[in-house]
Amino acid sequence: MNNAILVYASMSGNTELMATYIAEGIKEKGVQLDVKECFEVTPGDLVKYDGIIIGSYTWGDGELPDELIDFYDEMDQLEFHHKKSAVFGSGSTLYSNFGGAVDLLMEKLKERGAEIIGSPLKVEYTPNDQDEIACKDFGRLFADRLKIDSTIR
């Protein structure tokens, strides 16, 4: 089975735009994908998917945004073994910890047993044309890996 969920938090629309591009890349590869804002799901909803992608903007100097804090904490109650995961987000290089929320999410998923596919994708501010391509490629890579690993099992 090849199903995935992409959950994101976006304040200015930058991370939402990234999510849209990533979703296009995933769907292009034939993976069933649900796209939700973080307040539309609970971490417990994630366990029914083969693939989990989480995106967030970074608040301040590397912090999770308020709307993701409870979600992040509730992940401590779950196990994501055999789940393929990826993380992405937007931020500003004006801060020393560029995209720190993305790194926190990646570490949490690893801690809970998920396998991280690829490197975290971070974009400064609004995705430009090159970032759009990178986001779609990120989605395609994730989908390809999810499909390959599900055929092996």
Side-chain angles (χ1 to χ4, degrees):
M1 189 172 196
N2 294 313
N3 66 352
I5 186 166
L6 188 157
V7 177
Y8 68 92
S10 185
M11 182 170 65
S12 63
N14 296 338
T15 305
E16 181 177 16
L17 187 55
M18 290 179 73
T20 299
Y21 295 146
I22 292 167
E24 287 176 23
I26 292 170
K27 289 177 181 177
E28 199 177 279
K29 294 291 189 165
V31 170
Q32 178 189 339
L33 179 69
D34 291 332
V35 179
K36 305 279 185 183
E37 288 189 65
C38 63
F39 58 82
E40 297 178 302
V41 294
T42 67
D45 295 330
L46 305 180
V47 298
K48 63 184 172 187
Y49 293 90
D50 301 314
I52 301 166
I53 305 165
I54 304 178
S56 178
Y57 65 96
T58 296
W59 184 252
D61 194 23
E63 301 159 25
L64 287 169
D66 287 345
E67 61 267 37
L68 259 182
I69 291 173
D70 288 342
F71 189 94
Y72 176 87
D73 289 341
E74 289 171 23
M75 287 171 51
D76 283 333
Q77 309 307 314
L78 303 169
E79 292 297 326
F80 295 128
H81 295 287
H82 307 293
K83 304 291 182 187
K84 307 301 178 219
S85 299
V87 292
F88 69 95
S90 60
S92 170
T93 56
L94 293 175
Y95 293 100
S96 61
N97 193 4
F98 171 62
V102 174
D103 298 330
L104 289 170
L105 290 166
M106 180 180 68
E107 290 307 315
K108 178 65 75 176
L109 285 165
K110 279 188 200 176
E111 174 187 304
R112 305 314 311 152
E115 177 188 344
I116 303 298
I117 305 299
S119 298
L121 179 62
K122 298 178 185 180
V123 168
E124 184 164 24
Y125 303 123
T126 304
N128 61 31
D129 291 344
Q130 288 179 318
D131 297 326
E132 178 181 351
I133 292 166
C135 287
K136 289 178 180 178
D137 286 346
F138 183 84
R140 289 182 198 108
L141 171 71
F142 182 81
D144 283 344
R145 185 64 185 275
L146 184 64
K147 288 170 69 173
I148 289 169
D149 288 353
S150 71
T151 58
I152 294 172
R153 276 194 260 154

